[in-house]
Each structure stands twice: as C-alpha cells, then as structure tokens.
Amino acid sequence: MAVRISGKEVSEKIRRQLKSEVVNMRSLGIIPGLAVIIVGDDPASKVYVRNKELACQEVGIRSEIHRLPAHITQEQLNHLIGQLNGREDVHGILVQMPLPPHLDELEVINNIHPDKDVDAFHPINVGKIMIGDYRFLPCTPAGIMELIHHTKVEIAGKNCVVIGRSNIVGKPMSMLMLHENATVTICHSKTRDLAKICSRADILIAAVGKAGFVTADMVKPGAIVIDVGMNRDGEGKLCGDVDFPSVEPVAGYITPVPGGVGPMTITMLLKNTVTAAKNL
Ligand code: GUN
C-alpha cells in the first residue's frame, strides 16, 4: 500500500518557514507585496484569487487584488501592469488566467517585469528554467519537486514519465526532473503505447485533466505517483487524474486529491513573492 504524500503537511511546514522569514524582512522594513489582477467573474478564478489572498495574510505578505470588469481593453490592462511594474512596494504580479477571449494572454505575460513574474510564465523566466539558472519556478512544478524531495527517494537515474505537455506544468516539470538527472519521457495525446511507457516509470506525473486516466495497470509497483489533476466527477466531487482506489495498492508513494499538489501551488507562489522581495 502506497505512502500518501500530504501536500497539506509539506505546505504547512514551508509556510511556517516563510512566515518567520517575513517577520525578519518586516523588521528590516521590507514588506513583501503581491498584486493580483483578476478580469471578469469566472467563479473558479474568484475562488483561486480569494485563496491566494488568504494565504498571503497567513504568512504576512501584503496583497492587493485588482478586480477588473470583463470588458476592459488590452491597453487598460497593459497600463495597470505598467504601473505595478514601476511600484517599489509591489514585488510580485500575478494575472489570474484564463482571461476573457478578447485579451491576449501572451501579451499580458510579456508585459509583466520578469523580476516580478511570480508565476514564472515570462519567456525570460521560461528560458532561465531551461538553462537551469532561475530565481522563480512555476508554482505547480516547484510544489511537485518539494513533494518528491519529501519522499527522500533519489531522483538521479530514475525513469520519470510526465503525462501532459502544458507550458504551466508538463514542460517545466520535465525540465526540473531533467536538472535532477532523471531520464524523462513526456507523453501526450498523440503518444503511442502510453500505458506501456507509464508502466516503466519510477516517477509518474499525471497532468492530463481527465478524471481516473491513470489506472493500476499503468503503474510500476513501488512508483512515486504524482496527481496534478483537478477534475470533477459525475457527482461534482473533486478528483484527480489518477484512479486512486486501484493505484494506491500498487504505488510506493501517491499524492491524494484534494490535499496533494493543490496546497503546494499557492505555497510556492508565496515563496516566489518572498524571493522577489528579497532581490529587489
Ligand atoms: N489559473 C490557473 N492556474 C493559474 C496559475 O498558476 N497562475 C495564473 N496566473 N493563473 C492561473
């Protein structure tokens, strides 16, 4: 039976460390500040932004939320980002995605100053990750690395399979595992023999977006299984990409949903904001 990796526990430990760092910074007159921009009223985005605000409060980061109407123009949004780029009390800027379709997400990302890009979505930060010279890591892959390190299992030389090739999770995740000397395979919707490839993984990372996609026959006995999925089942219950009941008896370690990768993502955003405040 797999050991469950508790993202909640690992997250709490890191938040305690961040909290004491922020106390020290505040005593030196530095108050880490995060500006979050939300456009429109997508219900899921509203919940995410509220959770970010609460998490900031918990560790002593000053947060400001800019709530903009869905009909805002690209120029107005660019103007706000420009103002935040120029403010000394704002160390991190996050524009909650997705944006309404008339707004260009790439242009928005490009407009955020790379030193304030706490999502690590800017091409400069993406490039830095590629060459292993980074200050910020995208929050979800960074959180996953913390969870894998928490198991104390050696990564070097292991077969790591990442299912999903998104810019936010799959691609940076693969790069981080490569930096730690894993042999990395990236699978996607066109991959042939996906189940066979997955079943050779010592570390299997599922970022597919399909409930119950990873089944027991795809998992090597003893493997670390990381579930990045955030899906709703037929009854509206939150569930991951991994068929937890069948995989748990086969895997060596497994992250639950909820309570696995999810809590780590916001914690890594807090960490990036503190890092940004230290370096300005
Ligand atoms: N929407 C869903 N996840 C994210 C994220 O990690 N960052 C931003 N900016 N928007 C998101």
Side-chain angles (χ1 to χ4, degrees):
M1 195 60 113
V3 173
R4 290 190 193 195
I5 316 173
S6 168
K8 196 166 168 285
E9 264 174 50
V10 178
S11 183
E12 277 166 6
K13 187 172 160 216
I14 297 171
R15 286 190 194 192
R16 277 198 298 276
Q17 288 163 356
L18 288 171
K19 201 169 171 176
S20 84
E21 267 187 73
V22 173
V23 168
N24 288 338
M25 292 169 84
R26 281 180 172 255
S27 73
L28 299 169
I30 304 164
I31 303 170
L34 174 69
V36 177
I37 301 176
I38 174 166
V39 183
D41 45 21
D42 175 63
S45 290
K46 279 190 189 164
V47 174
Y48 290 143
V49 167
R50 178 73 188 134
N51 288 340
K52 284 166 186 169
E53 193 178 15
L54 290 173
C56 283
Q57 266 173 29
E58 186 189 329
V59 301
I61 293 173
R62 187 187 68 77
S63 68
E64 56 184 58
I65 315 295
H66 297 261
R67 293 184 176 83
L68 307 177
H71 57 75
I72 191 168
T73 65
Q74 184 83 43
E75 289 67 33
Q76 287 169 312
L77 183 54
N78 291 348
H79 181 72
L80 173 59
I81 293 170
Q83 281 181 334
L84 296 170
N85 280 338
R87 272 179 47 195
E88 283 191 3
D89 60 335
V90 171
H91 305 97
I93 302 170
L94 180 146
V95 180
Q96 187 66 30
M97 306 292 179
L99 290 171
H102 69 284
L103 297 171
D104 183 340
E105 292 187 352
L106 275 183
E107 185 175 333
V108 166
I109 290 167
N110 273 300
N111 274 324
I112 297 173
H113 193 290
D115 291 343
K116 297 192 177 191
D117 169 37
V118 283
D119 266 324
F121 289 170
H122 191 287
I124 287 191
N125 289 323
V126 174
K128 280 174 174 271
I129 290 161
M130 191 86 174
I131 59 173
D133 164 35
Y134 42 76
R135 267 175 62 212
F136 302 130
L137 288 176
C139 301
T140 300
I144 293 171
M145 291 313 294
E146 295 281 349
L147 294 178
I148 296 173
H149 288 148
H150 183 75
T151 67
K152 303 267 196 296
V153 171
E154 166 106 38
I155 298 173
K158 297 285 168 61
N159 285 330
C160 174
V161 173
V162 179
I163 321 174
R165 54 176 156 179
S166 69
N167 289 335
I168 298 183
V169 182
K171 284 185 208 164
M173 192 64 238
S174 308
M175 210 42 66
L176 299 188
M177 293 305 287
L178 186 60
H179 289 325
E180 299 226 6
N181 300 310
T183 301
V184 183
T185 307
I186 307 171
C187 296
H188 47 79
S189 52
K190 300 281 190 292
T191 298
R192 292 184 194 160
D193 293 330
L194 186 126
K196 197 169 152 196
I197 295 169
C198 291
S199 68
R200 289 200 291 259
D202 302 300
I203 303 170
L204 181 61
I205 299 169
V208 196
K210 287 186 186 156
F213 185 85
V214 175
T215 46
D217 58 302
M218 295 162 72
V219 175
K220 180 175 174 178
I224 298 178
V225 179
I226 304 285
D227 190 348
V228 192
M230 289 262 261
N231 315 298
R232 299 271 167 195
D233 68 10
E235 292 152 18
K237 210 175 119 216
L238 191 66
C239 62
D241 291 344
V242 175
D243 179 37
F244 195 89
S246 79
V247 172
E248 190 184 25
V250 181
Y253 297 86
I254 189 165
T255 62
V257 177
V261 174
M264 295 300 294
T265 299
I266 293 187
T267 300
M268 293 299 115
L269 170 69
L270 303 175
K271 188 174 173 187
N272 282 347
T273 304
V274 170
T275 302
K278 277 184 198 161
N279 283 281
L280 278 181

